[in-house]
Structure formats: C-alpha cells, structure tokens
Amino acid sequence: MAAEKQGQKIAVEIKSFLSPSKITELYAALGQFIIYRIALQKQEANRTLYLAVPSTVYNEFFILPFIQSVIKSNQLCLLIYNIEQETIAEWQI
C-alpha cells in the first residue's frame, strides 16, 4: 500500500501474524520486507517502507530482546496498528 505521512511518501507491507509460529511469520515477513525495500530503492528511492504489525503481536512478540535486535539490525520501520479500533497505535522509524 502506498500513501503519504506528513508529506513523506511511504509504502506499507501489512502483516497479520496469524500463524501459531510467530518466528516463522517474522522470517517470511522480513524476507519480503527486504526484497520490497530493494525494489522501492530502485523505483522510488524517496519512499520509505514500513512493516505493519498488530499491536497485540507487537506487545507480545516484537518487544522480545532478540526480535528487537532483528528489527534494529535490519533497520525495519514499523507501523503498529490496533485491530479492534482500526487505528495506528505507533510509528517506529
């Protein structure tokens, strides 16, 4: 999904993490994210890619120290969304 946030062009890869194995979901999401980011750099270098994850998954899984190191090492920009309220809870760059 392509959009603008405060005048900045962004793209968002939305993931639900419904599988029982969150690490397997992260493995797939991270691979897609890296491929999409490389493609965007070639086609729209001024667009920032975000990985969107549900707030429940973020609060239970993404806060783990190992997962935080994966996020930092791969320079993931996160969009954390609230499923019930259908709102964006947080942006992390």
Side-chain angles (χ1 to χ4, degrees):
M1 171 187 313
E4 281 196 32
K5 177 189 174 240
Q6 299 173 347
Q8 177 188 15
K9 291 184 177 187
I10 64 170
V12 181
E13 175 63 18
I14 302 169
K15 294 296 179 188
S16 57
F17 286 82
L18 296 175
S19 168
S21 174
K22 302 298 183 242
I23 197 75
T24 300
E25 293 258 3
L26 179 61
Y27 180 78
L30 180 59
Q32 286 181 322
F33 184 90
I34 290 169
I35 297 292
Y36 294 159
R37 184 169 54 195
I38 292 168
L40 273 175
Q41 288 171 349
K42 299 233 180 254
Q43 295 179 0
E44 294 187 70
N46 62 338
R47 192 173 295 273
T48 302
L49 181 61
Y50 284 82
L51 177 64
V53 298
S55 56
T56 53
V57 174
Y58 181 84
N59 292 330
E60 294 170 5
F61 179 68
F62 276 71
I63 62 166
L64 298 172
F66 172 73
I67 304 305
Q68 284 293 307
S69 68
V70 170
I71 292 167
K72 186 175 181 178
S73 294
N74 290 281
Q75 301 174 347
L76 297 180
C77 296
L78 297 177
L79 182 159
I80 302 151
Y81 63 93
N82 184 302
I83 296 172
E84 293 81 31
Q85 296 176 358
E86 298 181 355
T87 58
I88 296 170
E90 186 178 347
W91 296 86
Q92 288 187 5
I93 299 175

